Amino acid sequence: MTLISRYRVTILLSFLGWGCLAIYTYKGSYVDDNGVLIESFGFIPLFWLFQLLALVSLIYTAVKHRK
């Protein structure tokens, strides 16, 4: 079994997390005419959630395939 196929869930979760952070950075934030901050704040917790899930998946897979 190759290394990439063994850790595909971990890699997918990590890429999803970094994708959320990239979307947050790309969209940016600004202050409208009324002085209200407009930003896509929801992508920050999603980034951390996906990174945490990737870490848990990494640990689980490493322990499962330990010889």
Side-chain angles (χ1 to χ4, degrees):
M1 188 181 253
T2 64
L3 190 65
I4 292 178
S5 66
R6 184 180 296 168
Y7 292 103
R8 68 179 176 266
V9 173
T10 303
I11 294 168
L12 175 67
L13 289 170
S14 183
F15 278 146
L16 284 172
W18 286 106
C20 288
L21 190 63
I23 291 170
Y24 173 76
T25 303
Y26 177 74
K27 289 186 90 169
S29 59
Y30 62 93
V31 178
D32 67 359
D33 295 335
N34 295 329
V36 177
L37 178 64
I38 305 297
E39 65 179 348
S40 301
F41 181 74
F43 287 112
I44 296 172
L46 281 176
F47 164 73
W48 287 111
L49 176 67
F50 282 129
Q51 293 307 309
L52 177 66
L53 289 174
L55 178 65
V56 169
S57 173
L58 175 71
I59 292 170
Y60 174 77
T61 306
V63 168
K64 181 179 171 186
H65 293 291
R66 185 174 46 174
K67 293 183 179 181

